[in-house]
Amino acid sequence: NAGVTQTPKFQVLKTGQSMTLQCAQDMNHNSMYWYRQDPGMGLRLIYYSASEGTTDKGEVPNGYNVSRLNKREFSLRLESAAPSQTSVYFCASSEGRGPYEQYFGPGTRLTVT
Amino acid sequence: AQSVTQLDSQVPVFEEAPVELRCNYSSSVSVYLFWYVQYPNQGLQLLLKYLSGSTLVKGINGFEAEFNKSQTSFHLRKPSVHISDTAEYFCAVSEMNRDDKIIFGKGTRLHILP
């Protein structure tokens, strides 16, 4: 099993450009998450999806959109990138709510100039 | 809403010495508690979790944590650290019977000194 995979691993964008970060899991998990990690800030939840067809905002959703394409895939889109979105982005998945372990992908390092 | 405080942003410790990484949480309801580890240039992986029952929880790589409800703490310990324990450690909390969002602390970077 590959677990959680993310593409791309690295990306450089100019301000105003758009891009989509891809995430897929092969563990048949119901819940999927997008986080951003910034130095000294820990992980902050951007969006999550409790099940296929549903998405909800997390702590820092502004400037992002998501799509839960099917049970396996959960993408994150930046419509008009800003330097403040320079960060490392992690996708994660879990069986469901509350007590379940989250499995993380390797991350995407995004720089917006 | 729940919150998590990791009191130390960095902890230096000599190899083979014991270490404790501190975590305090705040919540109005019962919680699930987690410790995750992030090795350099990798994603996070679970070290251990407390759901219920025994307050002393054992995890991978010789780590353990103790849940203290009265002090709202969940400190992580290891009796003897190795150079391979160099990583960032995150405490996290999820409230029981609420939505499935987990709140992560800001992390503690463990530096192992030779």
Side-chain angles (χ1 to χ4, degrees), chain A residues 10-31:
Chain A
F10 302 94
Q11 184 71 49
V12 179
L13 291 178
K14 294 188 188 308
T15 298
Q17 288 184 319
S18 62
M19 78 161 295
T20 299
L21 281 64
Q22 306 286 356
C23 173
Q25 52 92 8
D26 62 1
M27 295 172 281
N28 201 36
H29 285 168
N30 292 310
S31 299

Side-chain angles (χ1 to χ4, degrees), chain B residues 55-107:
Chain B
T55 58
L56 184 63
V57 180
K58 293 192 184 297
I60 61 172
N61 300 337
F63 283 93
E64 63 181 32
E66 186 157 18
F67 170 57
N68 187 318
K69 188 174 182 180
S70 62
Q71 296 188 7
T72 60
S73 68
F74 190 54
H75 300 332
L76 181 70
R77 301 185 184 102
K78 186 169 182 178
S80 176
V81 295
H82 189 267
I83 194 75
S84 59
D85 294 321
T86 297
E88 191 156 19
Y89 293 80
F90 293 91
C91 183
V93 62
S94 175
E95 293 184 322
M96 290 185 188
N97 301 319
R98 297 257 173 112
D99 63 42
D100 62 343
K101 288 181 282 191
I102 290 180
I103 300 297
F104 286 85
K106 294 185 177 182

Side-chain angles (χ1 to χ4, degrees), chain A residues 43-94:
Chain A
L43 271 76
R44 293 181 291 170
L45 183 66
I46 304 171
Y47 272 92
Y48 73 106
S49 170
S51 61
E52 184 179 351
T54 68
T55 61
D56 286 286
K57 294 178 181 179
E59 184 184 353
V60 288
N62 291 346
Y64 306 96
N65 286 300
V66 290
S67 295
R68 184 75 183 267
L69 305 168
N70 47 55
K71 194 171 186 180
R72 289 188 64 247
E73 298 171 290
F74 188 40
S75 62
L76 178 72
R77 183 160 178 83
L78 287 70
E79 290 291 351
S80 178
S84 61
Q85 294 178 304
T86 293
S87 187
V88 181
Y89 292 85
F90 288 100
C91 178
S93 70
S94 67

Side-chain angles (χ1 to χ4, degrees), chain A residues 31 33 35 37 40-43 45 48-50 57-59 90 94 96-107 109, chain B residues 32 34 36 38 41-47 49 51 88 90 94-107 109:
Chain A
S31 299
Y33 312 81
Y35 294 92
Q37 183 179 28
M41 301 293 289
L43 271 76
L45 183 66
Y48 73 106
S49 170
K57 294 178 181 179
E59 184 184 353
F90 288 100
S94 67
R97 294 168 175 260
Y100 296 101
E101 173 183 358
Q102 291 194 8
Y103 293 81
F104 285 80
R109 189 172 294 273
Chain B
Y32 304 116
F34 307 81
Y36 284 82
Q38 183 181 30
N41 299 312
Q42 294 185 27
L44 279 70
Q45 61 186 87
L46 185 70
L47 264 182
K49 63 183 177 182
L51 304 182
E88 191 156 19
F90 293 91
S94 175
E95 293 184 322
M96 290 185 188
N97 301 319
R98 297 257 173 112
D99 63 42
D100 62 343
K101 288 181 282 191
I102 290 180
I103 300 297
F104 286 85
K106 294 185 177 182
R109 195 170 293 277

Side-chain angles (χ1 to χ4, degrees), chain A residues 37-42, chain B residues 4-13 19-24 35-36 38 85-91 105-112:
Chain A
Q37 183 179 28
D38 302 290
M41 301 293 289
Chain B
V4 180
T5 302
Q6 291 184 245
L7 297 165
D8 304 298
S9 60
Q10 296 191 64
V11 172
V13 62
V19 68
E20 178 180 83
L21 305 183
R22 296 180 293 169
C23 173
N24 287 87
W35 275 100
Y36 284 82
Q38 183 181 30
D85 294 321
T86 297
E88 191 156 19
Y89 293 80
F90 293 91
C91 183
K106 294 185 177 182
T108 298
R109 195 170 293 277
L110 181 61
H111 293 284
I112 309 299

